[in-house]
Amino acid sequence: MNIPLNSILNLTEEQIKGSKIELNLFDGGTREAFIDRWLERPESERAAGRAKRCSYWAWYGKNRRNFHVGDWVFSFMRLYRQDEWLFVSAAEIIEMPERGAENGYATVRILDQYAPLFGRLIINLHRGNKFSLYVFNLDSYLNEATVKEILPALYSGDTFSGYDRVHLPYAKLDRIFRREIMPSYYDALESVTGVYCLTDTRTGKLYIGSATGEGGVAARWGSYLDSKHGGNKKLRELYDREGEGYFRENFEFTLLEYFGMSYDPQKVLEREQWWKDCLDTRAHGYNDN
């Protein structure tokens, strides 16, 4: 049975007419997912609906005003699964900045009656991927939005969804290994050996590696977080040339194949060589053997 969102918000017809819905996906400039930005903010900010640089951007482009003073705004961020959105804040617009102002966010008054749901209410709502920031009249989508679940505690990151779907930016992997978000991910990676790919998103170059020892993929990827280059010649050269920040900003980690901890390490190494040959990462990537 689908539960309408307004059965939770309990808005009157008049309130609905004066309200906006904000559906945030990616920062238009950096392409950073808003949910990742929200997760990086202190828990006190997230729980209060005041996570900085996450909601209430006042202008879209040069001329489009997202809000007017007096609007109620319900702010959501898309999770890592299509059509699932996390309720992160609700507020009344108190003041709008001038176009082009250095601080482009509206001044707001948090609607405290909805605070217990911040970071906990997840809804289903179908939207595409065309724009980075959505602000619409609430009545355009209120009837389409349904409640998926209300979490027992503040959302701390997606759960592990299978070894065939492991693809993580450096910064997110770092937070996982620090046990700040997505706690099941580290345990899962610690339980398998495998072949993996490091992608330099700035240049498109790849590095293929394998994990066969104790601690599995988690131990091997942890070595990259510690040293950035993992002891590999071309990656070390890149580190010496570009520095630590380059890896954090541009590298992504993907698990290509996974095996049980008791799987023959030699066969894992054979698969590693096969992937290097297929992707030609010696001539066009960061592998040197």
Side-chain angles (χ1 to χ4, degrees), residues 26-275:
F26 299 100
D27 183 289
T30 66
R31 300 303 297 166
E32 177 186 14
F34 271 101
I35 188 62
D36 291 340
R37 180 180 293 178
W38 184 83
L39 284 166
E40 290 175 355
R41 301 307 306 169
E43 182 175 332
S44 58
E45 286 186 20
R46 289 182 282 134
R50 294 185 177 276
K52 294 181 180 179
R53 299 177 58 246
C54 290
S55 301
Y56 313 121
W57 182 253
W59 295 87
Y60 187 83
K62 294 182 178 180
N63 299 311
R64 177 184 164 185
R65 177 189 292 268
N66 284 331
F67 315 114
H68 293 85
V69 172
D71 285 346
W72 281 19
V73 183
F74 295 85
S75 181
F76 293 81
M77 290 181 183
R78 198 181 73 178
L79 298 177
Y80 304 107
R81 292 176 293 277
Q82 186 77 17
D83 299 339
E84 292 187 6
W85 303 80
L86 182 69
F87 181 41
V88 297
S89 188
E92 179 183 359
I93 303 298
I94 302 300
E95 185 179 354
M96 286 281 289
E98 295 295 326
R99 281 177 292 186
E102 184 175 349
N103 178 12
Y105 294 89
T107 302
V108 303
R109 176 183 66 82
I110 297 296
L111 302 177
D112 291 330
Q113 63 268 40
Y114 298 109
L117 297 174
F118 296 164
R120 296 178 54 212
L121 171 63
I122 298 175
I123 66 169
N124 290 315
L125 179 62
H126 177 67
R127 285 301 304 167
N129 293 302
K130 185 176 181 182
F131 299 111
S132 60
L133 181 70
Y134 296 83
V135 178
F136 295 113
N137 293 329
L138 180 62
D139 58 6
S140 298
Y141 294 100
L142 190 58
N143 291 333
E144 299 178 26
T146 59
V147 176
K148 180 180 185 291
E149 62 181 315
I150 297 177
L151 303 174
L154 200 68
Y155 180 78
S156 61
D158 208 9
T159 57
F160 184 72
S161 56
Y163 291 107
D164 58 341
R165 299 178 64 86
V166 176
H167 176 75
L168 299 164
Y170 182 105
K172 185 181 291 185
L173 183 70
D174 188 33
R175 297 198 70 207
I176 289 171
F177 274 53
R178 293 176 186 274
R179 301 298 185 125
E180 295 176 359
I181 61 172
M182 304 161 76
S184 58
Y185 251 87
Y186 183 92
D187 297 335
L189 294 174
E190 193 178 34
S191 303
V192 294
T193 62
V195 181
Y196 56 83
C197 176
L198 273 57
T199 303
D200 182 339
T201 59
R202 180 175 294 184
T203 65
K205 289 185 177 181
L206 308 177
Y207 174 83
I208 302 298
S210 63
T212 58
E214 184 178 353
V217 174
R220 190 70 188 105
W221 284 6
S223 71
Y224 293 105
L225 296 177
D226 291 339
S227 67
K228 309 302 175 274
H229 50 70
N232 301 293
K233 180 181 177 181
K234 290 186 178 180
L235 292 179
R236 187 186 295 113
E237 291 173 352
L238 180 66
Y239 175 78
D240 291 340
R241 186 169 65 251
E242 300 290 346
E244 176 179 341
Y246 186 91
F247 289 79
R248 176 172 291 275
E249 293 172 9
N250 300 298
F251 269 69
E252 296 179 347
F253 292 70
T254 305
L255 187 60
L256 299 177
E257 293 189 79
Y258 61 93
F259 310 96
M261 294 299 292
S262 61
Y263 193 75
D264 185 348
Q266 185 58 42
K267 292 183 178 179
V268 178
L269 295 175
E270 290 172 3
R271 294 301 298 166
E272 177 188 4
Q273 297 304 314
W274 186 85
W275 279 102

